[in-house]
Amino acid sequence: MQEKLSNTLTGKAGALKDFLLQYGELQSFLHTNTSSSQEGTASINTIYGEMWERKYLGGHGIKVFDFALSLVLPQDTGTSDNNAKQFKIVQDFMDWIDEQERNKNYPIFDGCTVLSIENLQNMPNFAGVDESGSTAKYMFQCRVRYYE
């Protein structure tokens, strides 16, 4: 049985991390704003936070919170299908984000109404291989839109 993953962040970043920890296939502590080459690590990296998309009179409007998820997985320099399997693991995480949007299951941002969560690309990026050639980093970017 997988041990419950914990979150020490607060605010919108903390709420987002709590939301992402619902993904049942996440097998690692979800790091924050870090880059690791250790196999099996996952990280949420903030890009934009609380950026206005549309501002209305009275100070309310729609904001966005953009983030990237990165996963470090085993890498094969040979001819096996291991790299394709790793790519699919990351694609499955992206598909889970799409499913949450279809189900209107969103992170809970205090004092706000979350309008959507979406992938900003249709497949993960291959973001490089560590110096030893044993692990590869895959990334994808997402956006949460919310009314505040």
Side-chain angles (χ1 to χ4, degrees):
M1 183 170 146
Q2 182 178 336
E3 161 185 338
K4 174 136 174 60
L5 302 174
S6 63
N7 177 15
T8 58
L9 284 176
T10 59
K12 290 179 182 66
L16 182 58
K17 191 169 182 180
D18 284 340
F19 172 77
L20 294 170
L21 288 172
Q22 295 176 33
Y23 180 58
E25 299 302 313
L26 190 61
Q27 300 296 315
S28 155
F29 176 81
L30 186 58
H31 297 270
T32 306
N33 291 334
T34 188
S35 181
S36 170
S37 61
Q38 182 178 349
E39 181 180 319
T41 58
S43 179
I44 177 175
N45 302 292
T46 55
I47 300 172
Y48 292 117
E50 312 221 16
M51 186 171 137
W52 287 104
E53 183 178 271
R54 184 174 301 141
K55 191 171 184 178
Y56 302 114
L57 293 174
H60 298 286
I62 298 172
K63 290 185 174 182
V64 297
F65 188 108
D66 290 1
F67 62 97
L69 282 161
S70 62
L71 289 90
V72 178
L73 301 168
Q75 204 272 142
D76 182 12
T77 58
T79 58
S80 77
D81 64 351
N82 187 54
N83 296 343
K85 289 177 183 175
Q86 304 306 3
F87 186 86
K88 179 163 180 354
I89 288 170
V90 184
Q91 184 67 54
D92 288 347
F93 202 161
M94 293 180 72
D95 293 345
W96 180 82
I97 295 286
D98 291 338
E99 181 182 336
Q100 302 319 296
E101 173 57 30
R102 282 190 303 278
N103 295 333
K104 306 295 184 206
N105 179 33
Y106 301 132
I108 298 169
F109 287 2
D110 288 338
C112 302
T113 301
V114 174
L115 305 171
S116 65
I117 185 166
E118 63 183 321
N119 288 302
L120 296 178
Q121 54 200 80
N122 65 356
M123 68 174 61
N125 292 344
F126 176 73
V129 176
D130 74 338
E131 289 181 14
S132 71
S134 63
T135 61
K137 183 179 286 188
Y138 298 89
M139 296 176 62
F140 62 97
Q141 295 182 3
C142 299
R143 170 172 291 151
V144 176
R145 293 178 64 245
Y146 59 97
Y147 178 83
E148 182 174 78

